[in-house]
Amino acid sequence: MTPSFQLHPRLQADCIPVGRFELCQLLLMNDSQYPWFILVPQVDGLRELYELGKAQQQVFMEESSYLAEQLAVLYQADKMNIAAIGNLVPQLHIHHIVRYQTDRAWPAPVWGKFAAIPYGDAEIAGQLAQVRNALATLQW
């Protein structure tokens, strides 16, 4: 992690901190319609994945793949959507969204489809416990 790393204010406002891997911070998007997680490499000034050094790119791929696999199993996903868009939030962040053929937005992307439905306090606690338990290498 870069010592001066700061999470973008929009991510701070829209997400719930889950924990940290070696390179990335893990966030839960505060939208209960989808199990939606975001990985943010904790390196200042990044906008694109290719801006990571080669070793960091490898660590990122391992963390992203591990996260996607664990989420797919935990939530019994029909499909994992993994994307780095960054049009509104320029800081590099990668969405990991569990999708179901029965979810509200299927088969379209989730962005801008419906207004977010925030989690309640009990739901947040349950989600965090479940995900932290599934992700053995996560620190919090």
Side-chain angles (χ1 to χ4, degrees):
M1 175 170 88
T2 306
S4 59
F5 173 79
Q6 294 286 320
L7 189 63
H8 189 279
R10 178 85 183 249
L11 292 174
Q12 288 179 1
D14 292 348
C15 300
I16 299 153
V18 178
R20 230 177 299 113
F21 292 108
E22 178 184 338
L23 176 66
C24 295
Q25 184 172 351
L26 179 61
L27 307 171
L28 170 64
M29 176 65 82
N30 194 5
D31 185 351
S32 63
Q33 297 173 95
Y34 320 93
W36 182 344
F37 296 84
I38 299 175
L39 277 182
V40 183
Q42 297 178 106
V43 178
D44 277 339
L46 295 179
R47 296 175 66 95
E48 305 294 342
L49 196 53
Y50 63 77
E51 294 173 337
L52 286 168
K54 296 297 181 198
Q56 290 174 322
Q57 287 177 23
Q58 181 64 39
V59 171
F60 171 79
M61 288 305 297
E62 290 170 6
E63 291 177 359
S64 177
S65 294
Y66 173 73
L67 175 63
E69 181 180 14
Q70 297 308 310
L71 293 176
V73 170
L74 177 63
Y75 292 101
Q76 299 178 345
D78 290 332
K79 176 74 175 93
M80 288 299 304
N81 286 175
I82 302 171
I85 307 298
N87 296 343
L88 293 177
V89 176
Q91 181 177 51
L92 179 62
H93 63 288
I94 296 81
H95 301 264
H96 292 67
I97 307 167
V98 178
R99 298 297 308 273
Y100 303 102
Q101 293 179 7
T102 56
D103 74 42
R104 236 179 134 181
W106 186 270
V110 299
W111 287 274
K113 232 15 193 173
F114 304 102
I117 300 173
Y119 288 100
D121 291 341
E123 291 175 303
I124 290 171
Q127 286 289 334
L128 293 178
Q130 191 174 15
V131 170
R132 287 172 176 164
N133 187 52
L135 300 173
T137 62
L138 193 63
Q139 303 167 18
W140 55 89

